[in-house]
Amino acid sequence: MAWRSVVVSHPAKLRREHYSLVVEQAQAARVPFEDIAVIVLNHREITVTHPVLSACGDYGIALFSTGDNHQPNGVFTPYLPHSRATRMLRLQLAIDRPRAKRAWAEIVRAKITNQAICLQLAGKDGNDRLDSYARRVRSGDTGRMEAQAAAYYFSQLLGRGFDRGLGIWANAALDYGYAVLRGAITRGLIAHGLHPSIGLFHASEQNAFNLADDLVEPFRPLVDLHVVTHRRPSGSESQDLAAADKVALVALLNADVRMPRGEMTVLAAVELATEALARLYEGRGDEALELPRVIALRQHRLDT
């Protein structure tokens, strides 16, 4: 299974050499394509050859571009590699509303539970209140527990004066981390024949990633935990992320989370979560979702 994340933050040329990606800078680096899950291009002077793009399609690699603000603004994903993409699209469009609403409630419950764990791990008060919100989530989240939890959660985690609209480091880091997670989940959805624009809950006609925005929710608190743990001292915040900040946020894809089958990386958890979502659409049980539980900020250790 692919597990590496490649972040290119300096002028470079990316080319293909047999079965490997070659990053040409002062010194050339080679990475087997089969090991790569994500590539992030984070400099204006990066050249990518067509064979590299073709390899990204063949190997199911998500390739991110970044804008003038250095935030991810685009993602290259494989072109419908699943053999039953049309069948899955029909199943997505035909899912009955009660099943979709129950699945959304399960996602919201997992998200709020992870927010409570995040507060606890960060040494903040309020996890008991969030646990109460999670228990009160009903089908379709008709009581808007997600919105109530979010308003309380961010004020507890990042302070009462925190606002997601502020141009500060914390918001830039949250946006960057969420965008990387969203792209990784989009990659997983496409690999399993699911169309990212057809969501369970999110349904904007202007959003090509509604389903990714559904499934990303329980993963977001891992980014939140990283941001509050590495937050810059008060008075020294700026909107700019350092190169090391971006590398660390992309590296969260290899952090451990707990799934029903045990502890594994975020990338592996995304794979299981998208597989379970496909089973849900195929009608193999209403309780088919497999969602992550945040445990700590810990990079996965490969067995040696």
Side-chain angles (χ1 to χ4, degrees), residues 61 76 140 151 183 189 222 246-247 262:
I61 298 169
F76 174 91
L189 294 172
L222 184 67
K246 298 166 187 173
V247 170

Side-chain angles (χ1 to χ4, degrees), residues 23-231:
V23 182
E24 292 185 347
Q25 294 176 315
Q27 292 183 331
R30 288 174 173 79
V31 186
F33 282 114
E34 65 181 2
D35 290 348
I36 302 174
V38 171
I39 300 172
V40 180
L41 308 179
N42 194 38
H43 197 281
R44 289 186 176 185
E45 298 180 24
I46 296 173
T47 302
V48 182
T49 64
H50 177 261
V52 169
L53 293 177
S54 179
C56 288
D58 290 341
Y59 286 88
I61 298 169
L63 177 72
F64 289 86
S65 63
T66 54
D68 291 340
N69 62 355
H70 300 286
Q71 291 285 345
N73 67 353
V75 60
F76 174 91
T77 55
Y79 181 68
L80 299 177
H82 196 276
S83 61
R84 295 180 295 167
T86 302
R87 174 177 176 272
M88 294 304 299
L89 176 59
R90 288 173 179 152
L91 290 174
Q92 283 181 258
L93 292 170
I95 189 171
D96 60 89
R97 292 314 301 163
R99 176 173 295 181
K101 290 169 67 175
R102 287 193 295 271
W104 176 241
E106 194 174 347
I107 289 171
V108 170
R109 198 174 296 116
K111 176 185 180 179
I112 298 174
T113 297
N114 279 339
Q115 289 174 329
I117 294 170
C118 180
L119 288 184
Q120 188 173 25
L121 291 172
K124 307 290 184 178
D125 296 328
N127 60 294
D128 290 343
R129 181 166 170 179
L130 288 177
D131 285 334
S132 174
Y133 283 140
R135 290 192 298 270
R136 289 155 56 191
V137 174
R138 298 293 179 264
S139 178
D141 189 27
T142 53
R144 295 180 56 80
M145 290 296 107
E146 182 195 19
Q148 294 183 53
Y152 177 74
Y153 165 71
F154 279 110
S155 67
Q156 292 296 111
L157 185 68
L158 295 168
R160 294 189 180 277
F162 177 75
D163 185 330
R164 281 289 280 135
L166 295 175
I168 57 176
W169 180 91
N171 277 326
L174 289 173
D175 290 342
Y176 196 98
Y178 292 163
V180 170
L181 280 177
R182 188 192 199 211
I185 288 172
T186 299
R187 166 185 175 269
L189 294 172
I190 291 172
H192 287 88
L194 294 165
H195 202 291
S197 68
I198 310 299
L200 288 165
F201 173 77
H202 291 89
S204 171
E205 293 183 354
Q206 298 178 334
N207 183 5
F209 303 102
N210 285 309
L211 189 56
D213 287 341
D214 288 337
L215 197 56
V216 76
E217 297 293 1
F219 290 90
R220 288 180 186 266
L222 184 67
V223 177
D224 305 339
L225 181 58
H226 174 89
V227 169
V228 72
T229 302
H230 296 83
R231 193 180 187 187

Side-chain angles (χ1 to χ4, degrees), residues 1-5 37-38 184 187 219 252-255 257 264-272:
M1 177 181 176
W3 58 276
R4 287 189 177 181
S5 302
V38 171
R187 166 185 175 269
F219 290 90
L252 290 177
L253 295 176
N254 288 316
V257 292
M264 62 190 69
T265 67
V266 168
L267 281 171
V270 166
E271 180 75 11
L272 293 184

